[in-house]
C-alpha cells in the first residue's frame, strides 16, 4: 500500500428471490455516489447514503450470481 490510507466498507445482502435485493443494491450504489432520489423516504436516504460517505464509480465492486440479476443491475 502506498502512502495513502484507504477504507473498505463491505455490504453483503443475502436473501431469497423477490425480496428486493436489486432494489436495495441500486439504492446503495446511488447513495455511495452521492445521488439521492426524490422518491426516497428520510429513512431510505439515511440508509442508502451509508453514513454520508461518497465515492467514485470506479471504487464500487458489485458481484452477482445470475445473468438476469447482472442485467438488471446494469440497466438500473
Amino acid at each position: 500500500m502506498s502512502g495513502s490510507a484507504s477504507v473498505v466498507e463491505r455490504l453483503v445482502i443475502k436473501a431469497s428471490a423477490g425480496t428486493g435485493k436489486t432494489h436495495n443494491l441500486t439504492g446503495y450504489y446511488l447513495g455511495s455516489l452521492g445521488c439521492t432520489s426524490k422518491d426516497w423516504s428520510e429513512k431510505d436516504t439515511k440508509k442508502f447514503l451509508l453514513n454520508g460517505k461518497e465515492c467514485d464509480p470506479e471504487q464500487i465492486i458489485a458481484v452477482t450470481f445470475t445473468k438476469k440479476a447482472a442485467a438488471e443491475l446494469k440497466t438500473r
Side-chain angles (χ1 to χ4, degrees):
M1 184 183 225
S2 63
S4 64
S6 67
V7 176
V8 175
E9 185 166 339
R10 180 175 32 163
L11 172 68
V12 176
I13 298 177
K14 295 183 341 182
S16 56
T19 57
K21 293 181 300 295
T22 301
H23 168 78
N24 280 294
L25 285 171
T26 302
Y28 286 118
Y29 298 152
L30 292 173
S32 295
L33 298 171
C35 302
T36 59
S37 171
K38 63 181 178 176
D39 298 328
W40 289 358
S41 66
E42 184 178 335
K43 182 180 176 182
D44 282 342
T45 300
K46 287 180 181 176
K47 172 181 152 181
F48 291 141
L49 288 179
L50 295 175
N51 301 319
K53 298 176 187 173
E54 294 181 20
C55 66
D56 295 323
E58 296 83 12
Q59 294 175 296
I60 296 174
I61 298 172
V63 178
T64 185
F65 295 98
T66 67
K67 290 180 181 181
K68 181 180 177 184
E72 188 174 346
L73 284 173
K74 191 173 183 180
T75 300
R76 288 180 182 217

